[in-house]
Amino acid sequence: MTTAKRKDSLSTTAPKSSATPRRKPGPKPGTESARRGGLSSRAKYGRDYFALIGRKGGLTLSKRRGPEYFAEIGRHGGETTIRVHGVEHFSQIGKLSSEIRKNGGKRSRGAGKTAR
């Protein structure tokens, strides 16, 4: 009786290339086809569905982490905004907000535009 030689398990697996990791399936982020995919998902499920998902995620995060977490990430976001845009960015936002309140919730033409 002869015994058949078994294939080595290493010979059946795909070769591993350490140069580039495997890309996720689907269109590349930021491309036109990725945008169309997002629009078709919104058309299929509707905005309310995604709002519900976001709400559930926010409530779950709030229960797990507590209000201190939101204060912490808000502080980090503010620090980053100051570092990237400067303190004058907040001043500009305040002026826009004041103008909108004066105009009954509408932004006037040219409000907030600065020469760059």
Side-chain angles (χ1 to χ4, degrees):
M1 189 188 294
T2 62
T3 58
K5 192 172 183 181
R6 293 178 127 184
K7 284 186 175 180
D8 187 33
S9 64
L10 294 176
S11 66
T12 58
T13 59
K16 293 182 180 179
S17 67
S18 60
T20 58
R22 184 173 170 269
R23 198 174 71 78
K24 291 181 179 179
K28 288 186 178 180
T31 61
E32 182 64 23
S33 59
R35 188 181 74 82
R36 284 194 308 268
L39 291 175
S40 66
S41 294
R42 186 177 66 193
K44 181 177 181 180
Y45 297 106
R47 287 179 175 265
D48 294 338
Y49 174 74
F50 293 104
L52 177 65
I53 291 173
R55 193 175 309 115
K56 283 184 177 181
L59 288 173
T60 302
L61 188 64
S62 176
K63 287 177 185 175
R64 287 184 184 171
R65 301 267 183 129
E68 301 84 22
Y69 173 73
F70 292 106
E72 181 183 342
I73 63 174
R75 187 178 66 252
H76 286 299
E79 291 169 355
T80 302
T81 303
I82 289 173
R83 188 174 62 248
V84 172
H85 299 287
V87 178
E88 55 277 351
H89 177 74
F90 289 104
S91 174
Q92 186 179 11
I93 291 172
K95 289 175 186 175
L96 282 173
S97 177
S98 173
E99 178 128 4
I100 289 170
R101 278 195 301 270
K102 285 181 196 174
N103 294 329
K106 294 181 181 176
R107 186 173 168 187
S108 67
R109 291 182 166 228
K113 292 186 179 179
T114 59
R116 290 188 182 200

